[in-house]
């Protein structure tokens, strides 16, 4: 078994591959995440952060190189194997939460379970338990557009956690949140990381949000340009170092 929960080797992504519009967004990236790490990814707009996170988490398929999650190369899986694998390993939180307005909050949270054909009884138990923890039990019958941003965010977190993932992938999760909801989300992620051992890989443009991580990766022009580890630093000292690094 690999010592890494996630590993990318010579990862390359070319959009519009083999056309005259071919564009290489990631150039031979090498990256490793150990279990229980909390990794923040920063970089200028258009530098390849979303491309990177999508290609290491089965959302998109890289052009060359290898990505291993729990030792499994994700490119070798069929579509249905990938679905199952996501259910067993990964939870996703997106900037706009990606809740479906045509489904109730309950149905949205249960989505990863319905794709994996978990029984209705087990689904109900899991969704209700998480909703209670997040204080949104009374909203389960409502639709996302009947709920506030903070409430939708809680539902998105429940959906990311409902399959008990070992890795959470978050793309600008605080991008649409005010500072109170942002710091609440970061407290939840920190708790999951420290107390439940969940590995977190999170894109952010905000050094303060990045300072919750244990390691920062800075991407520029499709390459990892810098890396900063928190190690023994206070969160404030780490924040200051991140600010200097990303300037
Ligand atoms: P970031 O998340 O850092 O803002 P992205 O990963 O979204 O950057 O984009 C990296 C580069 O790849 C940009 O130059 C962007 O224009 C290009 N790109 C992203 N998605 C596509 C796509 N679907 N087709 C072609 N080019 C793309």
């Amino acid at each position: 078994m690999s010592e890494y929960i996630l590993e990318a080797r010579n990862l390359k992504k070319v959009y519009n591959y083999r056309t005259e519009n071919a564009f290489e967004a990631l150039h031979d990236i090498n990256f490793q995440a150990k279990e229980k790490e909390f990794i923040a990814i920063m970089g200028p707009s258009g530098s390849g952060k979303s491309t990177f996170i999508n290609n290491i988490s089965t959302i998109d398929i890289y052009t060359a190189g290898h990505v291993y999650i729990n030792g499994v190369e994700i490119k070798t899986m069929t579509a249905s194997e990938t679905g199952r694998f996501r259910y067993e390993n990964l939870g996703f939180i997106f900037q706009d939460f990606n809740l479906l307005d045509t489904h109730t909050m309950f149905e949205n949270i249960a989505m990863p379970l319905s794709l994996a054909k978990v029984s209705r009884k087990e689904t109900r138990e899991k969704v209700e338990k998480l909703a209670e923890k997040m204080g949104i039990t009374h909203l389960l019958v409502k639709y996302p557009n009947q709920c506030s941003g903070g409430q939708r965010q809680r539902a998105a977190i429940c959906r990311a956690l409902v399959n008990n993932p070992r890795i959470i992938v978050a793309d600008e999760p605080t991008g649409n949140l005010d500072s109170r909801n942002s710091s609440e989300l970061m407290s939840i992620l920190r708790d999951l990381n420290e107390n439940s051992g969940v590995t977190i890989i999170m894109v952010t443009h905000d050094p303060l949000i990045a300072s919750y991580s244990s390691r920062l990766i800075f991407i520029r022009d499709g390459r990892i340009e810098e890396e900063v580890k928190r190690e023994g630093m206070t969160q404030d000292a780490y924040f200051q170092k991140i600010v200097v690094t990303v300037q």
Side-chain angles (χ1 to χ4, degrees):
M1 200 65 194
S2 165
E3 70 174 298
Y4 304 114
I5 190 163
L6 195 152
E7 184 175 14
R9 283 195 211 146
N10 302 318
L11 177 64
K12 188 183 284 225
K13 175 66 184 181
V14 182
Y15 285 113
N16 305 315
Y17 187 49
R18 290 189 175 142
T19 73
E20 59 184 22
N21 296 323
F23 176 77
E24 191 168 310
L26 299 177
H27 318 287
D28 290 314
I29 289 199
N30 287 293
F31 167 85
Q32 296 89 21
K34 287 188 181 153
E35 192 158 19
K36 301 185 178 70
E37 272 201 287
F38 186 160
I39 299 169
I41 297 167
M42 295 187 76
S45 179
S47 58
K49 302 180 296 295
S50 293
T51 303
F52 176 63
I53 208 164
N54 290 343
N55 280 275
I56 60 170
S57 66
T58 74
I59 299 273
D60 199 359
I61 282 297
Y62 37 100
T63 313
H66 307 276
V67 175
Y68 302 93
I69 303 178
N70 281 334
V72 177
E73 158 114 50
I74 60 184
K75 208 177 196 172
T76 61
M77 288 186 271
T78 63
S80 69
E81 283 169 345
T82 303
R84 182 88 210 159
F85 185 83
R86 262 187 215 155
Y87 165 71
E88 285 170 354
N89 294 279
L90 300 166
F92 296 92
I93 305 176
F94 302 96
Q95 176 171 1
D96 49 11
F97 313 140
N98 281 6
L99 299 177
L100 300 176
D101 278 332
T102 49
H103 290 58
T104 63
M105 295 278 264
F106 180 98
E107 289 162 348
N108 269 287
I109 296 170
M111 200 74 72
L113 304 181
S114 60
L115 295 174
K117 301 194 169 57
V118 175
S119 77
R120 285 167 79 156
K121 179 167 176 283
E122 198 181 334
T123 297
R124 181 158 290 282
E125 282 167 8
K126 288 187 170 179
V127 172
E128 287 178 351
K129 192 170 157 211
L130 271 174
E132 192 183 335
K133 200 170 158 197
M134 294 288 168
I136 55 169
T137 301
H138 60 298
L139 299 172
L140 287 176
V141 293
K142 296 207 171 190
Y143 290 86
N145 55 15
Q146 300 172 310
C147 301
S148 72
Q151 291 166 338
R152 289 202 298 272
Q153 171 212 34
R154 283 156 184 267
I157 296 166
C158 290
R159 185 188 52 191
L161 299 181
V162 77
N163 56 338
N164 229 347
R166 294 177 68 198
I167 306 176
I168 288 186
V169 175
D171 195 350
E172 301 242 17
T174 62
N176 280 331
L177 295 176
D178 59 24
S179 59
R180 193 174 62 83
N181 281 310
S182 294
S183 61
E184 190 185 293
L185 173 59
M186 294 320 295
S187 301
I188 293 168
L189 291 180
R190 173 144 69 189
D191 177 59
L192 281 167
N193 175 249
E194 288 179 357
N195 300 322
S196 304
V198 177
T199 305
I200 298 176
I201 303 177
M202 171 188 75
V203 170
T204 180
H205 62 270
D206 184 339
L208 189 60
I209 297 298
S211 72
Y212 283 80
S213 69
S214 52
R215 178 156 65 105
L216 170 81
I217 302 282
F218 187 74
I219 294 185
R220 190 192 297 277
D221 295 333
R223 291 190 170 82
I224 294 180
E225 191 181 76
E226 293 264 8
E227 196 175 347
V228 182
K229 290 184 181 161
R230 176 165 170 181
E231 290 173 330
M233 275 184 260
T234 61
Q235 188 173 355
D236 191 46
Y238 183 45
F239 165 73
Q240 301 295 343
K241 190 156 183 190
I242 290 170
V243 170
V244 173
T245 304
V246 304
Q247 263 171 2

